[in-house]
């Protein structure tokens, strides 16, 4: 089957599928006639396993070790339980930190960021993990940029084609051309919407960014 079919069956993007292939977690056969990838039901099953484990935040390296028989499933789950419990503890510490600031500060203008950042840095050296602002803020920026770009391009298309379409529709002899322009406009705007949706889906997935941690 083709990659777009696998994408629909598994529910992850083509970009992520290619990424897993690059990481050696998936090795689809290639058509000897044209060299194109030919995905099997076995590949789909493998991808679903990867998707499940990644949703539980299991590292790519541990998935690779299990696939190669160098780590048992029980070992991987025990390791992940420890990691998740650590994150749960970090979240509890962040809640305590918020309570602490709430009791010590009555107004935003009184917030001594230097003091609390210093405390945070000390906690981080002791193992506490706070929010990765690079990941969160850059992802938000990417989504905003994609949306703005899509809106600008759509407006440019409408501004250039709609006036021409109106002029063509006014005369009976050019009405058919007006209809063609109308269809082209709809196709272009729809295409932009589809591309935007796919891009946001990829940004939300963030698999490429996550890979840096493993």
């Amino acid at each position: 089957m083709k990659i777009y079919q696998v994408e629909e069956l598994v529910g992850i993007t083509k970009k992520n599928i290619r990424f897993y292939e690059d990481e050696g977690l998936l090795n689809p056969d290639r058509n000897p006639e044209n060299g194109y990838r030919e995905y099997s039901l076995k590949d789909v099953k493998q991808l679903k396993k990867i998707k499940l484990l990644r949703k539980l935040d299991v590292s790519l390296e541990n998935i690779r070790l299990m696939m190669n028989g160098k780590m048992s499933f029980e070992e991987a789950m025990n390791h992940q339980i420890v990691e998740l419990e650590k994150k749960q503890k970090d979240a509890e510490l962040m809640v305590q930190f918020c309570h602490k600031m709430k009791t010590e500060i009555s107004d935003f203008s009184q917030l001594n960021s230097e003091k609390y950042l210093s405390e945070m840095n000390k906690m981080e050296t002791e193992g506490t993990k706070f929010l990765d602002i690079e990941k969160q803020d850059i992802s938000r920026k990417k989504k905003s940029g994609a949306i703005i770009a899509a809106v600008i391009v759509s407006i440019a298309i409408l501004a250039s084609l709609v006036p021409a379409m109106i002029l063509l529709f006014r005369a009976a002899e050019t009405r058919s051309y007006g209809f063609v322009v109308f269809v082209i406009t709809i196709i272009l705007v729809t295409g932009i919407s589809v591309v935007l949706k796919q891009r946001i889906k990829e940004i939300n997935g963030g698999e490429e960014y996550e890979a840096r941690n493993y």
Side-chain angles (χ1 to χ4, degrees), residues 119-136:
E119 290 185 28
M120 276 187 174
N121 289 336
K122 182 181 178 182
M123 291 171 68
E124 285 177 330
T125 60
E126 295 171 350
T128 302
K129 286 186 179 180
F130 289 93
L131 183 67
D132 187 342
I133 59 172
E134 180 185 354
K135 176 185 174 183
Q136 295 294 325

Side-chain angles (χ1 to χ4, degrees), residues 29-80:
D29 293 330
R30 289 185 178 269
N31 189 317
E33 296 180 359
N34 53 32
Y36 292 163
R37 295 173 177 82
E38 293 287 348
Y39 297 90
S40 65
L41 290 176
K42 181 180 177 181
D43 294 323
V44 170
K45 186 176 180 180
Q46 184 86 323
L47 276 170
K48 286 184 177 180
K49 288 181 180 179
I50 295 171
K51 178 182 179 180
L52 168 64
L53 293 171
R54 290 298 290 130
K55 278 184 168 290
L56 291 171
D57 204 18
V58 177
S59 72
L60 296 173
E61 181 57 29
N62 282 353
I63 294 174
R64 186 181 294 107
L65 289 172
M66 280 189 284
M67 287 182 177
N68 294 333
K70 296 180 179 179
M71 176 183 279
S72 70
F73 184 76
E74 182 180 2
E75 288 173 332
M77 290 300 99
N78 285 337
H79 179 272
Q80 197 58 20

Side-chain angles (χ1 to χ4, degrees), residues 16 19-20 22-23 25 54 57-61 64 135 205-214:
N16 275 13
F19 171 72
Y20 294 136
D22 292 340
E23 289 293 311
L25 300 178
R54 290 298 290 130
D57 204 18
V58 177
S59 72
L60 296 173
E61 181 57 29
R64 186 181 294 107
K135 176 185 174 183
E207 190 64 58
E208 287 184 325
Y209 183 94
E210 290 293 337
R212 301 177 193 173
N213 299 324
Y214 306 110

Side-chain angles (χ1 to χ4, degrees), residues 96-141:
Q96 292 175 16
F97 202 93
C98 289
H99 278 300
K100 171 183 169 65
M101 289 196 300
K102 185 183 73 171
T103 57
E104 294 178 352
I105 301 166
S106 59
D107 187 79
F108 179 76
S109 61
Q110 299 173 355
L111 179 60
N112 185 342
S113 58
E114 294 286 345
K115 171 188 173 183
Y116 293 107
L117 283 172
S118 178
E119 290 185 28
M120 276 187 174
N121 289 336
K122 182 181 178 182
M123 291 171 68
E124 285 177 330
T125 60
E126 295 171 350
T128 302
K129 286 186 179 180
F130 289 93
L131 183 67
D132 187 342
I133 59 172
E134 180 185 354
K135 176 185 174 183
Q136 295 294 325
D137 294 346
I138 287 178
S139 294
R140 188 176 295 110
K141 184 178 180 181

